[in-house]
Amino acid sequence: MAETQLDELDVKDHNGSDLGLKLGGTLVTATADELNKAADQGYQELTADGAITIKNGVVKLNKAGVLAATLANPTDVTDDHKELMIFAAQAQANTVTVTGGFGGGGSGEDVATFSGVIGDNITLRAFGGKWYIKGYHQVTIA
């Protein structure tokens, strides 16, 4: 196979539905923005109380006892549509506290408490400077 080196490749007619860049014969349907956000996936394992520092990816809660995590709000526009999946790798009633509450719901909706079963999880999506709950398993919001 011939090798080509490029400093830049701009596929101007790429529309993601029937024209444009193909990899291995398959049309790339994602936008450049979607590809860039996918490349921004992170992983963090918390083994002590503290802050969740990533804004896109997977967070593993893995302390010997109950873990208290904090999560800062995402940055409006910059972090829009990023997702975090936070899961318990231990059987503890962990908590995740978000400033201002999930979806901006205030102090009555700012703490996610895990039930104490391995596999408890919550998935959050960032939008407009807030974390919105996309789904959860065995987690209580108060």
Side-chain angles (χ1 to χ4, degrees):
M1 171 181 259
E3 198 174 298
T4 304
Q5 291 185 340
L6 301 171
D7 291 329
E8 182 177 308
L9 174 64
D10 186 1
V11 183
K12 294 182 183 196
D13 292 329
H14 181 83
N15 64 15
S17 61
D18 61 354
L19 264 180
L21 179 64
K22 289 185 179 182
L23 298 175
T26 302
L27 182 68
V28 175
T29 59
T31 66
D33 187 49
E34 290 168 337
L35 291 173
N36 289 335
K37 285 184 180 172
D40 187 30
Q41 290 285 325
Y43 173 80
Q44 180 181 2
E45 181 175 4
L46 286 178
T47 56
D49 295 347
I52 295 171
T53 57
I54 64 171
K55 294 184 181 177
N56 200 35
V58 176
V59 178
K60 179 180 180 180
L61 306 179
N62 198 19
K63 180 181 170 184
V66 174
L67 190 147
T70 57
L71 178 61
N73 282 317
T75 303
D76 188 16
V77 179
T78 302
D79 292 328
D80 282 358
H81 308 293
K82 291 183 177 181
E83 286 190 9
L84 273 179
M85 197 278 272
I86 304 166
F87 77 97
Q90 28 63 307
Q92 299 291 335
N94 304 307
T95 61
V96 176
T97 303
V98 176
T99 305
F102 294 99
S107 62
E109 297 181 17
D110 61 340
V111 180
T113 303
F114 290 60
S115 77
V117 175
I118 293 172
D120 290 352
N121 66 80
I122 187 168
T123 301
L124 307 171
R125 179 171 270 229
F127 188 76
K130 303 291 181 202
W131 287 110
Y132 291 88
I133 298 170
K134 185 174 178 184
Y136 60 89
H137 176 69
Q138 297 193 169
V139 173
T140 302
I141 308 299

